[in-house]
Amino acid sequence: MRTLALAGVLAGTTLSALPPTAVAASGAPETYALTIRHLDRAGAATGGYSTHVTGISGPGAQQEAAPYDASGTVTVRLPKGRYLLDSTLYGSDPATGTDWVVQPRLDLNGDTTVTVDARTTAPVDVRPPESGARYLNSIGFVEVTHEGTTRSANIMTAREGLRVAHLGPASEAGSVKEWFDTYWSGARADYGLGYTFTSDRALTGLVRHPAAGGLATVKIRGAAAEGATGTGFVSVQPSAGPTVGLAQPLEPSATATVMVNPERGRWDVEYTGPAAPETPPNRYVANGIAVHAGATTTRTFDNAVFGPALDTTPGARPAGVRDGNRIALDVPLLADGDGHAPSAPRFHSATTTLHRDGVLIGTRRGEPGRAEFTTTPGTASYRLTASATRGDGTASSGRVTAAWTFTSAATTRPTALPLSTVRFAPDLALDGTAPAGTLLRVPVTVQGAAAGTGVRSLTVSTSVDNGTTWTRVPVIDGQMAFRTPASGRTVSLRAELTDTRGNTLTQTQLGAFRTR
């Protein structure tokens, strides 16, 4: 996903407007006069325009021009080649809207005249299924590919009334790709309506009035993080292609509802929580969310249970790596209850240690779950331990510890370490609490090396006295179930895992959540 802040085209060599009689300098490529006439919706010449000409292939492939003349007719000299031309026409009254004309194929083989005529455009009429929804903004983006080179142009507007048109001959089949995204705010929901097109032409008009049943619902919940004050922010945007996205404030313990168009593909959600004293606001990202018409997807950010989480997407960076004699750990130790890793985890202290055959190699302090060590060649047994204390470091603060054992030797290339984690995902209120004295079912998920069929044994336990005593709880069909203690108590969680190759994990989460 590419989020655009302002309109523009690819950088090149910007040429000033030249009279048709101008002559190229000695040794420069031969140039031709490109004359561009601009007409408004009444058919009259207008100086209210912004035009870009961008080289795609041929001698002019690296050229870019933004010629202007107040008369409405302007001439620029450019080398021979294929160009992308786009022109935005502004009426005398902004309330009447804007016209965007795109010529994806401009073959400059000699002196050429192009007429950009606002009368050829047709409306972009994309509206959500809520009559009172307020229009926020929209973006149109076009990419043109020729002979292996891609160039682009875009328009962004915060006013309704956009009209668009294709200009000139058709390009090669499939060489023109276009996105149109519009964003709205309503009483029932906010809306992100996006459409993509692949063709040999730019769009001339666009009409889409989706029904509510054809949209997907994304609910974003922001937890009331301990010590945080103020307002958080949430943004939603398509994962693929350029966009401006939809952003809005989100109060703690509140829910934002956004209805999106599944035709646009997967969607990304970003949440920035309220600031806590002396700590920066936490930023969480959930990318590539699959959405389906008529279905609701809920994402909760910054809520318990905080603990280790691994990136399980294909091709993700491994949690630990052995490269020669270097051992590196990279595990978000304080990911939130949904497994989102924070940009600035709130912690009081963090320590990581590495032992080789029982001998301490080193201790690192700093960011939770991230450290590097240098060891020695030869096969040996290792114990890698990472811990972090949340809150103010007092006895009531939450503490997370993960200790892995594995056998390793020097490698000739970066090799993933056989590390696993266990995720506990109870359904908690947005203040990180569960009802007292009730049967609580907690999904238990193994990530990493032991995921799937790699578990030899897994034992989970709970504690209501901050880890002094533990009670084993069976895991059945991926869930543990236990009765929560009296109101105001904390529940701690522990997992002891051995994978099928003998590697182990002991993971402890003291003060995982509270009861109410």
Side-chain angles (χ1 to χ4, degrees):
M1 179 275 294
R2 289 167 286 177
T3 301
L4 301 183
L6 48 87
V9 293
L10 295 175
T13 302
T14 301
L15 304 179
S16 302
L18 299 174
T21 56
V23 178
S26 176
E30 182 180 5
T31 62
Y32 300 109
L34 173 62
T35 300
I36 309 169
R37 301 172 60 235
H38 301 85
L39 305 179
D40 63 18
R41 292 182 183 179
T46 178
Y49 67 87
S50 173
T51 293
H52 294 87
V53 183
T54 307
I56 305 176
S57 62
Q62 302 303 317
Q63 302 297 317
E64 179 188 345
Y68 180 80
D69 189 279
S71 69
T73 299
V74 65
T75 299
V76 62
R77 298 196 71 90
L78 293 167
K80 178 180 179 179
R82 171 75 63 91
Y83 291 86
L84 163 66
L85 180 148
D86 79 289
S87 184
T88 304
L89 301 170
Y90 310 97
S92 57
D93 181 2
T96 63
T98 302
D99 298 283
W100 190 41
V101 179
V102 177
Q103 182 167 348
R105 178 177 182 174
L106 173 56
D107 292 317
L108 192 61
N109 300 314
D111 293 348
T112 302
T113 298
V114 172
T115 299
V116 176
D117 190 342
R119 294 173 297 178
T120 66
T121 62
V124 174
D125 182 9
V126 179
R127 296 182 179 277
E130 183 179 338
S131 59
R134 178 172 56 91
Y135 171 82
L136 298 176
N137 54 61
S138 62
I139 177 175
F141 192 97
V142 63
E143 280 186 351
V144 181
T145 301
H146 181 61
E147 295 184 352
T149 298
T150 299
R151 296 289 186 255
S152 62
N154 68 78
I155 184 170
M156 294 167 50
T157 177
R159 291 190 179 96
E160 292 188 78
L162 176 64
R163 299 170 61 95
V164 299
H166 170 88
L167 177 62
S171 189
E172 290 75 17
S175 65
V176 180
K177 187 171 184 179
E178 197 158 0
W179 294 262
F180 263 99
D181 295 336
T182 65
Y183 298 93
W184 302 73
S185 180
R188 299 196 301 266
D190 291 336
Y191 300 87
L193 306 179
Y195 300 90
T196 62
F197 307 88
T198 300
S199 179
D200 57 2
R201 306 169 64 87
L203 290 177
T204 296
L206 174 63
V207 178
R208 293 290 189 275
H209 299 159
L215 300 179
T217 300
V218 180
K219 290 184 177 291
I220 303 103
R221 307 195 311 164
E226 297 176 6
T229 59
T231 301
F233 289 88
V234 62
S235 65
V236 179
Q237 55 273 318
S239 301
T243 192
V244 290
L246 184 152
Q248 63 178 4
L250 185 63
E251 298 289 337
S253 297
T255 300
T257 300
V258 183
M259 299 189 74
V260 300
N261 183 9
E263 183 180 329
R264 190 61 169 84
R266 293 176 179 263
W267 289 74
D268 296 342
V269 174
E270 180 178 309
Y271 174 74
T272 302
E278 299 182 1
T279 62
N282 249 330
R283 174 178 170 268
Y284 295 91
V285 174
N287 290 334
I289 299 174
V291 297
H292 304 281
T296 298
T297 299
T298 301
R299 290 298 179 107
T300 302
F301 294 91
D302 215 17
N303 201 13
V305 172
F306 294 94
L310 304 185
D311 187 347
T312 58
T313 57
R317 183 171 58 184
V321 172
R322 175 76 183 255
D323 187 3
N325 290 331
R326 182 181 69 92
I327 289 179
L329 177 69
D330 187 4
V331 174
L333 207 59
L334 298 177
D336 70 11
D338 268 15
H340 307 120
S343 63
R346 288 184 291 270
F347 68 100
H348 179 265
S349 60
T351 303
T352 304
T353 62
L354 179 67
H355 289 79
R356 182 183 189 274
D357 287 338
V359 178
L360 179 65
I361 295 295
T363 300
R364 305 288 184 265
R365 293 179 174 85
E367 190 173 358
R370 288 178 170 85
E372 285 193 13
F373 302 90
T374 300
T375 182
T376 55
T379 302
S381 296
Y382 287 88
R383 181 178 179 84
L384 181 60
T385 304
S387 63
T389 302
R390 300 177 57 246
D392 57 8
T394 61
S396 61
S397 301
R399 182 176 177 83
V400 177
T401 300
W404 299 274
T405 66
F406 53 91
T407 300
S408 178
T411 62
T412 57
R413 60 182 180 180
T415 303
L417 296 175
L419 307 185
S420 301
T421 61
V422 175
R423 297 290 303 165
F424 298 100
D427 185 11
L428 303 176
L430 289 179
D431 60 357
T433 63
T438 61
L439 185 66
L440 183 66
R441 299 186 183 278
V442 181
V444 179
T445 305
V446 175
Q447 298 178 330
T453 60
V455 176
R456 177 185 296 171
S457 65
L458 173 62
T459 301
V460 298
S461 307
T462 64
S463 173
V464 295
D465 55 12
N466 207 37
T468 300
T469 59
W470 294 92
T471 300
R472 289 191 176 184
V473 181
V475 177
I476 301 173
D477 295 330
Q479 285 192 339
M480 60 187 293
F482 59 93
R483 190 161 297 277
T484 56
S487 177
R489 302 289 295 274
T490 61
V491 176
S492 300
L493 301 168
R494 184 174 68 186
E496 298 167 281
L497 179 148
T498 302
D499 70 16
T500 53
R501 296 187 176 184
N503 308 300
T504 72
L505 162 72
T506 301
Q507 179 179 308
T508 306
Q509 292 161 256
L510 300 180
F513 64 92
R514 296 174 292 112
T515 56
R516 65 181 187 277

